[in-house]
Amino acid sequence: MSKESKTKFITQDILKSSIKGAFTKLNPRYMMKNPVMFVVEIGFAITLLLCFFPNIFGDEGNNLRLYNGIVSVILFITVLFANFAEAVAEGRGKAQAQSLKKTQKDMQARILSDDGKETVMSASVLKKGNVVLVKAGEVIPNDGEVIEGIASVDESAITGESAPVLKESGGDFASVTGGTTVVSDWLKIRITSNPGESFLDKMISLVEGASRKKTPNEIALNTLLVSLTIIFLIVIVTLYPIAVYSGVRLQISTLIALTVCLIPTTIGGLLSAIGIAGIDRVTRFNVIAMSGKAVEACGDVDTMILDKTGTITYGNRMASQFIPVGNASEQDLIRYAVISSLKDDTPEGKSVVELGERLSGKHQEAIPDAEFIEFTAQTRMSGVNLLDGTRIRKGAYDAIQKYIQELGGPIPKDLETRVNEVSKLGGTPLVVCAGSRIFGVIYLKDTIKSGLVERFARLRAIGIKTVMCTGDNPLTAATIAQEAGVDSFIAECKPEDKIKAIKAEQSEGKVVAMTGDGTNDAPALAQADVGIAMNSGTSAAKEAANMVDLDSDPTKILDVVEIGKQLLITRGSLTTFSIANDVAKYFAIIPAMFMAVIPQMKVLNIMGLSTPYSAILSALIFNAIIIPCLIPLAMRGVKYKPQRSEKMLSHNMLIYGLGGIVAPFIGIKIIDLIITPLLSVLGL
């Protein structure tokens, strides 16, 4: 999670906005959305009233006004800390939205007309289908597709990644995003979205959206917290007559303080922050989640269905091997293949040049005055005519065979065998000839994206099954599936087959994730519980998915799954810690309150707290300060390692369950030692 570590936890601007947000969120209409903290706010209001009218409920005692005031201040701070935690999480998203908005300001576009004339206009007038020219140092005005040129593009404004990305026509990285900057050369771009509908616009509305919908898990946990709050309110109400019967006079402020200490205020104060931070962490990995529900669903994924082309493979067949035929040498084959591809701008042609230069160790210079022959559907071959009369061609087996026969040249006996071998491996054979002689075959294969094998192995360790969907024949599909390291595959797969596969897994109660980049993937992306579209893919795919990977890197799936699991684990761990806290505070406070009239309860006063007042206030102070102490953990999440769920549960129960019980005993005792002298001075 390197990208996350690069991000500063809290900046000065976020701190200022969070402090302001902590006070603005005190509005009761807003606080009602969080029932646990709303109870604390009501308690603050009552104790504040008791500061001015200490005997309004018939309370008796020394320095009641001062005691009520101290309780009131602590409760107020508790609510502020809870609001601050949520405001910090929101502030990180809003800071990102502000930086994105700056990117949008005063963008200009160099629009090209059909006759090539340039017109500089505001980017706001751009429409889908317009062609624009963007030069070095200029901002790309809107989402589009590169149709000409090659350039480095700085996408840091969108992705946060400082390293420029190479963009060119064709291939996997032809898609560009509005708001990014061209740092070298130039690009001619065809605009693919109307104003206000760009990816940048959608991203801004997402990260600054104040109306975040609660996820089903959050709603369920919130229901549990409300139930626990009601139970403890009943306990406190029941405790009052018991105390009166025992001869203990409990002030209303004490009962309120006791209530606040016992209800799950820790998780209540951090619940929203955890959810917001989960989406924020996904965003920092250059993945845009359309909802918190999608992030949570990632944590429960059992099966992952991946489209092959553009997801597992680069989407373009790349030169993998040069296979000489007859008595031709490999070096001659490489030389002629490279020369014939020097002006071939297709990804396949570029890969031939790159592989040839890598294997031969030589860089082939451009040949002056050579006539380059482009590929056509009629000839099914391309090549070059040299000045010395040599004609070099590369193309389909049958096309080259016919071409050589017309020239009266021989057909090597092993040519057909080599061509069939490449075809059986699922590759595309390109035959190379010079003059009337055939030199060999170029093996074009679907290249697996780097890092996928290791990532799929890690997914397997987590317990997630991977399934590859492809339109290839079973032989080709099996070869690629084995290379990539997926668990299973579906060959000759049509769009409806992907949906069937997803529904079959879902019918078994499994949560399914689907990745894809094409229009044909859109129905499956919509059907899946988690749909992750590649940013380099089509608009239909991105609209159907509930997540978009800005880097178009399928290995990012693992990061997203781990973040989803981390979110669920963080929420569970902090809930465990909060409830364990409440149990500890219960046994810390009650004995101190009753041991004066029930001496036998001294046995339970493990911490040896000085007085009932110090016990209450120490517990209340600990309850307040533990919330800001846990904010970094809520923001960054509990550390996640791929392991069995039973082991993870026992590990977290030990740390956050047992730790949640032990921490209050230590913390309350330390606070008690500090405040006892102060309370004696104040007469409490």
Side-chain angles (χ1 to χ4, degrees), residues 511-544:
V511 177
V512 182
M514 164 77 190
T515 68
D517 65 342
T519 303
N520 62 331
D521 298 322
L525 288 168
Q527 176 64 40
D529 300 284
V530 180
I532 307 172
M534 303 293 113
N535 191 39
S536 60
T538 63
S539 302
K542 286 189 270 190
E543 287 172 7

Side-chain angles (χ1 to χ4, degrees), residues 320-322 330-331 334 353-362:
S320 175
Q321 188 181 356
F322 295 102
E330 187 180 12
Q331 288 301 315
I334 292 173
V353 175
E354 289 172 7
L355 180 64
E357 291 179 348
R358 189 167 71 248
L359 292 177
S360 66
K362 300 176 184 176

Side-chain angles (χ1 to χ4, degrees), residues 317 320-321 323 418-428 443-446 472-480 483:
R317 295 180 187 269
S320 175
Q321 188 181 356
I323 307 169
R418 299 301 184 201
V419 168
N420 288 336
E421 285 174 356
V422 171
S423 298
K424 285 178 182 177
L425 290 172
T428 301
Y443 173 19
L444 297 180
K445 64 176 287 188
D446 272 348
D472 292 333
N473 61 66
L475 183 62
T476 304
T479 303
I480 294 170
E483 283 186 33

Side-chain angles (χ1 to χ4, degrees), residues 456-513:
F456 284 146
R458 194 165 176 184
L459 283 171
R460 199 173 296 111
I462 297 173
I464 296 173
K465 184 174 80 173
T466 51
V467 181
M468 181 188 78
C469 292
T470 176
D472 292 333
N473 61 66
L475 183 62
T476 304
T479 303
I480 294 170
Q482 188 176 3
E483 283 186 33
V486 296
D487 295 314
S488 62
F489 64 90
I490 303 171
E492 298 174 345
C493 183
K494 298 182 285 294
E496 53 268 28
D497 294 331
K498 294 177 185 178
I499 297 174
K500 284 180 184 175
I502 293 169
K503 285 183 176 179
E505 293 288 332
Q506 289 173 333
S507 66
E508 296 176 11
K510 295 179 179 178
V511 177
V512 182

Side-chain angles (χ1 to χ4, degrees), residues 268-495:
L270 295 171
L271 187 58
S272 293
I274 294 167
I276 297 168
I279 296 178
D280 183 62
R281 281 199 296 277
V282 168
T283 305
R284 293 177 193 282
F285 273 87
N286 298 346
V287 176
I288 300 301
M290 302 307 173
S291 67
K293 185 180 177 182
V295 180
E296 280 188 356
C298 286
D300 294 323
V301 167
D302 301 298
T303 305
M304 192 168 291
I305 296 179
L306 305 103
D307 179 54
K308 186 206 74 173
T309 308
T311 305
I312 293 176
T313 66
Y314 283 102
N316 300 297
R317 295 180 187 269
M318 314 291 280
S320 175
Q321 188 181 356
F322 295 102
I323 307 169
V325 295
N327 58 358
S329 69
E330 187 180 12
Q331 288 301 315
D332 285 340
L333 170 61
I334 292 173
R335 186 164 67 87
Y336 287 127
V338 171
I339 291 172
S340 67
S341 304
L342 286 174
K343 291 291 184 179
D344 188 347
D345 289 330
T346 64
E348 291 88 348
K350 292 175 182 177
S351 73
V352 171
V353 175
E354 289 172 7
L355 180 64
E357 291 179 348
R358 189 167 71 248
L359 292 177
S360 66
K362 300 176 184 176
H363 177 70
Q364 180 65 56
E365 300 290 337
I367 301 172
D369 301 322
E371 181 190 359
F372 288 89
I373 310 299
E374 292 186 4
F375 177 89
T376 64
Q378 290 76 27
T379 62
R380 296 171 65 210
M381 66 175 78
S382 63
V384 60
N385 296 335
L386 304 180
L387 280 176
D388 62 4
T390 305
R391 296 188 173 187
I392 305 170
R393 297 288 185 270
K394 72 174 193 294
Y397 164 62
D398 55 345
I400 296 293
Q401 187 182 38
K402 185 179 177 183
Y403 173 76
I404 293 296
Q405 286 173 343
E406 288 176 355
L407 294 175
I411 306 296
K413 292 179 181 180
D414 58 343
L415 176 62
E416 188 176 357
T417 304
R418 299 301 184 201
V419 168
N420 288 336
E421 285 174 356
V422 171
S423 298
K424 285 178 182 177
L425 290 172
T428 301
L430 281 184
V431 181
V432 179
C433 67
S436 59
R437 181 185 176 188
I438 295 176
F439 283 81
V441 179
I442 304 171
Y443 173 19
L444 297 180
K445 64 176 287 188
D446 272 348
T447 305
I448 308 295
K449 290 188 175 182
S450 58
L452 270 187
V453 177
E454 295 79 9
R455 292 296 184 111
F456 284 146
R458 194 165 176 184
L459 283 171
R460 199 173 296 111
I462 297 173
I464 296 173
K465 184 174 80 173
T466 51
V467 181
M468 181 188 78
C469 292
T470 176
D472 292 333
N473 61 66
L475 183 62
T476 304
T479 303
I480 294 170
Q482 188 176 3
E483 283 186 33
V486 296
D487 295 314
S488 62
F489 64 90
I490 303 171
E492 298 174 345
C493 183
K494 298 182 285 294

